Each structure stands twice: as C-alpha cells, then as structure tokens.
Amino acid sequence: MESSAVEIDGSVMEGGGQILRVSAALSCITGSSINISKVRAGRSTPGLRPQHLSGLQLVSDLCSGSLQGAAVGSTDISLTPGKIQSGNHTADTKTAGSVCLLLQVALPCALFSDSSSRLILKGGTNAEMAPQIDYTVKGCNNESIKIDY
C-alpha cells in the first residue's frame, strides 16, 4: 500500500527557503513523498528562485527522485524520492545564490548514501542572508568532511 505525500505549507513561519530545504532533505532521507505549496510566500518575490531550483534538483539527483512543478517562479512542487545514490553530484545556481545553502540541503542526504559522495556546488560564497563560506568551511572541514569550492 502506497502512502500519500506529506503536504507542506511553504508560507509558515518566515515563509522563505528554509522550509523548502529542510523538507526536501527530510523527504530524501526518509523516502517520504512531499508536496509543498505556497513556496516562499513570505518573500517579496514568491516562488522558486534559481538557487532554490538548483537545490531541489540536487536533492532529486541525490535520491534518484522525481521532481515536479520545479521551475523558477513556481509556488507548488512535488518530490518523490528514490534510493539515495553516492557519487558525484553537481549543482550550479548560475547566479550568486549561496553554495552554503546548497550544502545545507544536500549534505544531510549525502551523509545517508551507501558510500562516499562528492558535492560540486557552484554559486556565491558570501551571499546576503546566508551562511558565509568561511564560517561553513571552518565548521565542516575535518577528517570526515571536506569542502572544496
């Protein structure tokens, strides 16, 4: 018996990208399908921006998932995850969108893969309203996790 997708209201709390990133990562890790409506409804420009789209596509790639409704400006998306895959995974915001926020959505998923993964993240390193790369690298680089940017 197939379970129904978890319905998520993207306008709750601050209505930004954080609920999108956390929901997508947890979907990938748990194998639960999600439908997110009202994506970034609390922002002056609601809907997916290029960096959010890149993050969703990265998660979908990591879990061999099916992503629907994912386009710049979209306010409704669905993700049906498959099995988390190790290997090389690339995301490019094609803007100054934060690589640290791409890491935020992808790293939890990569940690659950069956072997090592390499995340190749392209975008901004010191974007406004996002963790700075220096802070992220200092906190993450150890013997288990290496970040190249």
Side-chain angles (χ1 to χ4, degrees), residues 50-114:
Q51 62 270 26
H52 304 107
L53 178 58
S54 295
L56 286 172
Q57 290 168 332
L58 177 59
V59 167
S60 182
D61 179 51
L62 275 158
C63 70
S64 302
S66 171
L67 184 60
Q68 306 200 326
V72 171
S74 176
T75 57
D76 297 281
I77 65 100
S78 298
L79 174 64
T80 303
K83 183 181 183 311
I84 298 175
Q85 303 293 318
S86 57
N88 293 332
H89 303 280
T90 301
D92 185 352
T93 66
K94 296 183 175 45
T95 68
S98 173
V99 295
C100 296
L101 294 179
L102 290 175
L103 182 65
Q104 194 178 77
V105 70
L107 183 59
C109 305
L111 292 173
F112 281 85
S113 67
D114 56 3

Side-chain angles (χ1 to χ4, degrees), residues 26-67:
L26 289 174
S27 170
C28 179
I29 293 166
T30 65
S32 300
S33 296
I34 57 171
N35 295 325
I36 306 176
S37 61
K38 302 178 198 163
V39 171
R40 297 184 65 252
R43 296 296 188 237
S44 59
T45 307
L48 296 176
R49 303 304 309 141
Q51 62 270 26
H52 304 107
L53 178 58
S54 295
L56 286 172
Q57 290 168 332
L58 177 59
V59 167
S60 182
D61 179 51
L62 275 158
C63 70
S64 302
S66 171
L67 184 60

Side-chain angles (χ1 to χ4, degrees), residues 5 13 22 30 38 42 74 93 111 115 117 119 123 131 134 145 148-149:
M13 306 286 287
V22 170
T30 65
K38 302 178 198 163
S74 176
T93 66
L111 292 173
S115 65
S117 292
L119 301 174
D134 296 326
I145 302 169
D148 296 315
Y149 59 95

